[in-house]
Amino acid sequence: MRHRLACLLLLPLLILSAVAAGAADNPRRPFADDVVYFLVTDRFANGDPANDRGGLIGGPAQHGFDPADIGMFQGGDLKGLTARLDYIAGLGATAIWITPPVVNKVVQQYEGGMSAGYHGYWATDFLNVDPHSGSNADFRAFVDAAHARGLKVIMDIVVNHTADIIQYQECRGAGNACPYRSQGDYPGAAYIPVLPSGQQGVKNPAWLNDVRHYHNRGDSSFKGESSLLGDFARLDDLRTEDPVVAEGLIKIYKHWIGTYRIDGLRLDTAKHVNPDFWHRFVPEITTFAQEQGIADFTIFGEVADRNIADLAAQTHLTRLPSVLDFGFFQAAIDTLADGQGSYVWENWLRADILYPDTLNRATLPTFISNHDNGRLAYFIRRTHPQMPADEVQARVMLGHALMFLGRGVPVLYYGDEQGFIGLGDDKQARQPMFATASQQFNTEPRLGPHPVAGGDSFNPAHPLYRATAELAAIRRDHPGLRRGEMVIRHVEEKGGLLAFSRIDRVGGREYLVLVNMDNTPRTLGVPVEASMARWQGVRGACPVEGSAPSAIRVTVPGLDYLVCMRPLA
């Protein structure tokens, strides 16, 4: 009996060992060498219609599924994503960043309507996969299949808040005594927190159900201390300075790393969390991942600020190893959509000095579109509603060129490679890649061979898909374009011609990149590193001989880019 019991106790461990032994190893590759593909799981591919309602009964208000409504679940899931991994790999991506896979509050009622937790940022159960996306086993199968193709998996996480469960009783203190004063057992609370009937144990792990672990100050004004302590649009703000909360959150994400062997984390709303939490979380999580044999574990945060000085200041406070480059995003809009001179890019690069010396600038993720702010194509169309579609497409392609050839790690937002435009930001920019019942998503314009949306959008022959795959191949084949020092060679106050070098001291090469954001061809004499070596074209027609040892004369077609290369010696 004792022997049989021992065998039963060992069985789960043996199964886990067998699964781990059969799984592909985590890709060994520095983050600076990656190309990231970011997607909203619910909007990417529907592999199993049986989970569209998450196993819940009733109508959309109960199960959240309504493909006619852009704010509700559309049906994308982990099985669908796994089936489309070759499509992502074919684009040249080496890492996939997915929205939080955890169980969410299904539907949130708002003034004038309701919206679903399809995006993953309204967590209730932090330890399990949302049934709308599939099962824990589906998540494991996805990670294993990605690793088998050499693709990393970066998981979006939220530590700032949970779903909106806690409700408040208005404080009744005299005069101004209430705001931000102790309310009995609720330190610093402005309101007395109340859990609605039937919601007392909805969160997992169980400690998340204790209202003392939240700030309970009402909605944030996003100014001063309220930026750290207030609820983000009604979402319950965790007291991350509480040791119980900090320890609990670290255990949660150690669980995801240890169980599924993910390769990195994207930290949502990082600037709204007290810096001391990140000072502990980042080193503990990094050390744990390394102990699991994940040597190249990646962490980058969202500091949603387009002012580079403010963005960089947050990195000093939080000590995050990397943050999303919102300054790059703004520079792309300024030049490619709003027509400002190419000098904007010099200002962007010069501001790198504001980041801490401990932050590797080569790992700052750059992007031109995302799920919160919208797509570059939308910003171009907003400024130039009558611009021909082929010009909008060319400008989006130049945005990709700046991402792939400039400093940083390029982050592709799903659908950009299929000509998605969208009608705005947030949920307006979260179109499904598959057929949908939404009239808006089915009729909004797109770029490329199918100018109106509808049906599946996984076309590897799309011009933007091919252009992106070409850029990914160039970046893959030339390490200097991933890690070389970026030096601005030419900018203009009003014109759109930009020239910069990537200096690869290790490989002994200089790459000259010229991006023409004007409609007409431009010819330029560009200063470069001193060398008598001949130039060769990496992409486009580059002159063989320089006009002088420290200069090259180049013509760049309108709305196009060139990449030239020569040895430094």
Side-chain angles (χ1 to χ4, degrees):
M1 181 67 181
R2 196 174 289 173
H3 175 72
R4 181 179 297 175
L5 179 61
C7 289
L8 290 172
L9 291 173
L10 283 172
L11 184 59
L13 296 176
L14 293 172
I15 292 173
L16 286 175
S17 298
V19 171
D25 292 337
N26 293 71
R28 300 294 297 269
R29 184 174 55 247
F31 186 52
D33 291 345
D34 278 318
V35 172
V36 180
Y37 189 83
F38 170 42
L39 58 90
V40 179
T41 306
D42 177 65
R43 304 301 166 89
F44 190 67
N46 190 348
D48 185 3
N51 62 33
D52 288 351
R53 291 169 175 77
L56 302 171
I57 60 174
Q62 288 73 45
H63 54 61
F65 177 69
D66 184 358
D69 186 336
I70 68 173
M72 303 294 277
F73 282 97
Q74 298 287 302
D77 53 35
L78 291 163
K79 287 182 179 177
L81 170 55
T82 304
R84 293 290 185 177
L85 288 178
D86 288 340
Y87 167 88
I88 297 173
L91 191 59
T94 63
I96 302 174
W97 158 17
I98 64 166
T99 44
V102 297
V103 179
N104 267 228
K105 183 175 183 179
V106 180
V107 172
Q108 177 72 52
Q109 301 289 337
Y110 287 106
E111 296 78 6
M114 62 184 176
S115 187
Y118 67 88
H119 41 64
Y121 298 103
W122 299 346
T124 54
D125 182 348
F126 281 73
L127 294 175
N128 291 290
V129 169
D130 193 298
H132 292 84
S133 296
S135 65
N136 293 348
D138 291 336
F139 188 78
R140 182 188 298 279
F142 156 62
V143 174
D144 289 348
H147 286 170
R149 291 165 173 80
L151 295 165
K152 295 179 181 178
V153 174
I154 298 170
M155 179 174 144
D156 210 327
I157 71 166
V158 186
V159 303
N160 178 64
H161 55 258
T162 72
D164 177 23
I165 302 297
I166 300 172
Q167 304 302 304
Y168 301 120
Q169 289 182 354
E170 191 71 32
C171 178
R172 299 299 181 188
N176 295 322
C178 278
Y180 312 146
R181 298 292 180 87
S182 176
Q183 297 293 321
D185 292 332
Y186 317 118
Y191 302 93
I192 296 176
V194 176
L195 289 173
S197 177
Q199 300 292 299
Q200 292 88 346
V202 72
K203 296 179 183 178
N204 186 36
W207 61 264
L208 287 165
N209 296 297
D210 188 335
V211 295
R212 293 173 297 180
H213 295 321
Y214 298 83
H215 287 120
N216 303 311
R217 292 195 177 193
D219 275 353
S220 176
S221 66
F222 300 107
K223 297 177 182 178
E225 69 173 9
S226 178
S227 183
L228 290 176
L229 307 180
D231 290 354
F232 194 105
R234 296 168 54 176
L235 300 167
D236 301 347
D237 195 73
L238 281 160
R239 290 186 68 227
T240 45
E241 68 271 27
D242 180 343
V244 174
V245 174
E247 182 66 29
L249 289 168
I250 289 171
K251 286 182 178 178
I252 285 170
Y253 294 110
K254 283 182 177 180
H255 160 76
W256 285 94
I257 296 166
T259 304
Y260 301 104
R261 301 192 60 79
I262 57 176
D263 303 277
L265 301 175
R266 179 265 192 182
L267 314 175
D268 182 71
T269 53
K271 72 176 182 178
H272 300 296
V273 177
N274 64 302
D276 287 344
F277 173 83
W278 295 126
H279 300 168
R280 177 183 175 187
F281 181 90
V282 170
E284 283 200 34
I285 288 294
T286 302
T287 298
F288 178 78
Q290 291 172 344
E291 290 171 350
Q292 302 300 303
I294 310 172
D296 299 306
F297 196 80
T298 298
I299 296 176
F300 60 91
E302 178 208 28
V303 177
D305 199 322
R306 302 188 199 183
N307 182 306
I308 301 176
D310 292 338
L311 174 63
Q314 282 290 333
T315 66
H316 286 272
L317 289 171
T318 57
R319 302 178 201 161
L320 295 177
S322 187
V323 291
L324 285 159
D325 194 343
F326 277 83
F328 181 99
F329 174 59
Q330 186 61 52
I333 294 171
D334 289 343
T335 53
L336 291 164
D338 295 345
Q340 296 187 38
S342 59
Y343 73 90
V344 168
W345 291 102
E346 185 173 42
N347 293 345
W348 163 75
L349 186 64
R350 186 185 292 124
D352 272 5
I353 196 172
L354 299 174
Y355 291 106
D357 291 338
T358 54
L359 188 150
N360 180 0
R361 293 153 181 84
T363 66
L364 288 166
T366 56
F367 64 98
I368 59 172
S369 306
N370 77 7
H371 63 318
D372 289 330
N373 302 99
R375 301 178 186 273
L376 177 61
Y378 162 73
F379 289 102
I380 297 171
R381 271 283 169 84
R382 186 182 67 176
T383 306
H384 306 281
Q386 303 304 317
M387 181 178 286
D390 59 347
E391 181 176 345
V392 177
Q393 181 171 297
R395 291 183 177 277
V396 172
M397 182 270 291
L398 292 183
H400 284 114
L402 287 161
M403 277 201 301
F404 278 86
L405 304 174
R407 184 274 289 137
V409 176
V411 178
L412 305 167
Y413 184 46
Y414 84 100
D416 269 12
E417 79 282 2
Q418 294 294 329
F420 286 20
I421 300 173
L423 301 179
D425 58 9
D426 196 70
K427 61 185 178 182
Q428 309 269 3
R430 301 173 183 177
Q431 306 94 322
M433 293 279 282
F434 50 91
T436 174
S438 164
Q439 181 179 5
Q440 175 176 325
F441 286 155
N442 277 331
T443 57
E444 65 184 37
R446 290 188 182 173
L447 305 171
H450 303 290
V452 178
D456 282 354
S457 301
F458 296 97
N459 178 15
H462 193 290
L464 283 169
Y465 185 101
R466 296 201 313 268
T468 304
E470 178 189 20
L471 280 161
I474 292 172
R475 191 173 187 273
R476 178 198 65 215
D477 295 340
H478 297 276
L481 294 172
R482 305 194 298 270
R483 307 185 192 185
E485 175 191 1
M486 185 174 175
V487 179
I488 298 291
R489 298 301 190 186
H490 175 84
V491 295
E492 298 173 339
E493 184 177 351
K494 295 182 178 180
L497 185 58
L498 169 68
F500 60 88
S501 290
R502 301 297 304 273
I503 309 297
D504 180 9
R505 303 292 181 190
V506 175
R509 289 182 174 86
E510 176 179 9
Y511 294 87
L512 180 65
V513 179
L514 301 104
V515 180
N516 185 2
M517 293 170 275
D518 292 334
N519 289 325
T520 56
R522 298 287 307 279
T523 300
L524 177 71
V526 188
V528 291
E529 296 287 296
S531 174
M532 296 301 293
R534 291 188 168 194
W535 292 90
Q536 58 181 294
V538 174
R539 200 267 186 182
C542 297
V544 173
E545 299 287 353
S547 56
S550 299
I552 180 175
R553 190 167 182 82
V554 187
T555 298
V556 192
L559 297 176
D560 205 352
Y561 70 95
L562 302 180
V563 183
C564 309
M565 179 190 72
R566 70 171 175 177
L568 288 174

